[in-house]
Amino acid sequence: MTTVSVVIPAYNSERFISRCLHSLENQQTDIPYEIIVVDSSKDSTPNIIRTHFPSVKLIHLETQTMPGAGRNIGVKEAKGEIIAFIDSDCVAHPHWINDAVRDIRSGYEIVGGSVANGNPETLVSIADHIITFNEFLPYMPRREVPFMPTCNFICTKKAFHDVGGFSDDLFAGEDTLFSYHAAKKYKLLFNPSIKIRHHNRDTFKKFFSHHYTFGRHSSILRKRNDL
């Protein structure tokens, strides 16, 4: 019986998807789990999954799908009662599932963990990591928080449906909106021992493009929802 469903939205992730899936397939756990990738790539991502990861459930979509919509589709197909979200450019610690499920079973409905820098070789990638994840670094204390990023986010399926899932049409900030609604009903636990590593942007072009786009869409999100 599947206990955990790991859901990964992917778009043009051929550089990273193998590392992500290897880390998930090699989890040191006795907990039954499945891996679901909701992919709308134009590159070789779906072929990599089909060829090298036949046990992964691949849902391939023909048109580019927003991350929130991809996660919602994955949850609809999930058999587990616990949903673990991770991004395709992340690598999970070998005990990621065990550590997350332990906190869920202790009584929390929504938990998240720390985000380490997966490519600290350049000043750009270091800056990108600090700006994006400064509240969720590995040395931060275990605590209840009002928000957590969906690259390392675990919840019960019951809580997911109770909150209403992710907004389907947001390019960025869907995790902010989900957390905003979730925090009205549940306590959100940050536990630094639930670890992942994230590959950050390592060129100025990618860095400025992402943060400009993210800031713009976050502003629209906050204005639209009066946050």
Side-chain angles (χ1 to χ4, degrees):
M1 181 180 179
T2 302
T3 301
V4 177
S5 295
V6 181
V7 175
I8 311 164
Y11 178 72
N12 290 351
S13 302
E14 62 184 7
R15 287 181 61 198
F16 310 113
I17 194 66
S18 291
R19 285 184 294 179
C20 178
L21 295 178
H22 276 304
S23 75
L24 294 171
E25 287 195 334
N26 292 302
Q27 287 290 295
Q28 297 178 18
T29 183
D30 294 326
I31 298 169
Y33 68 98
E34 64 177 350
I35 304 169
I36 302 170
V37 178
V38 183
D39 173 70
S40 57
S41 298
K42 304 302 180 186
D43 64 6
S44 63
T45 300
N47 292 333
I48 292 171
I49 297 171
R50 293 187 186 104
T51 302
H52 300 289
F53 303 94
S55 64
V56 171
K57 183 170 184 177
L58 172 64
I59 303 171
H60 182 65
L61 308 172
E62 294 301 323
T63 58
Q64 182 179 357
T65 304
M66 296 299 160
R71 295 187 186 99
N72 291 340
I73 291 169
V75 173
K76 288 179 181 177
E77 298 295 325
K79 298 177 182 177
E81 291 306 309
I82 297 172
I83 310 297
F85 296 104
I86 189 170
D87 286 351
S88 60
D89 55 1
C90 296
V91 173
H93 185 275
H95 299 289
W96 181 64
I97 287 178
N98 269 353
D99 291 335
V101 171
R102 185 181 301 117
D103 281 329
I104 293 288
R105 288 176 173 169
S106 75
Y108 284 94
E109 299 276 349
I110 302 173
V111 303
S114 60
V115 183
N117 192 342
N119 59 324
E121 297 83 12
T122 71
L123 292 176
V124 175
S125 63
I126 292 171
D128 188 47
H129 178 249
I130 292 173
I131 289 172
T132 308
F133 301 112
N134 60 81
E135 296 178 78
F136 307 100
L137 301 178
Y139 54 80
M140 294 292 186
R142 175 187 170 102
R143 65 198 189 279
E144 292 177 2
V145 294
F147 160 79
M148 287 182 296
T150 42
C151 64
N152 190 2
F153 190 93
I154 303 92
C155 65
T156 63
K157 187 184 288 184
K158 172 184 173 295
F160 181 87
H161 289 307
D162 192 26
V163 174
F166 294 102
S167 293
D168 287 343
D169 59 345
L170 293 176
F171 181 82
E174 76 284 349
D175 48 1
T176 301
L177 190 58
F178 184 94
S179 294
Y180 173 75
H181 292 304
K184 295 178 179 180
K185 301 182 178 184
Y186 300 99
K187 294 179 179 179
L188 280 62
L189 175 70
F190 168 76
N191 182 351
S193 70
I194 305 171
K195 303 174 185 177
I196 66 159
R197 287 185 290 114
H198 179 270
H199 187 95
N200 303 287
R201 292 152 199 89
D202 51 11
T203 68
F204 279 110
K205 182 178 181 180
K206 292 178 181 178
F207 175 87
F208 285 118
S209 175
H210 169 77
H211 287 287
Y212 170 80
T213 302
F214 184 82
R216 181 172 178 271
H217 282 270
S218 294
S219 175
I220 293 170
L221 166 70
R222 283 162 171 76
K223 194 170 184 179
R224 183 194 300 175
N225 294 277
D226 193 28
L227 300 183

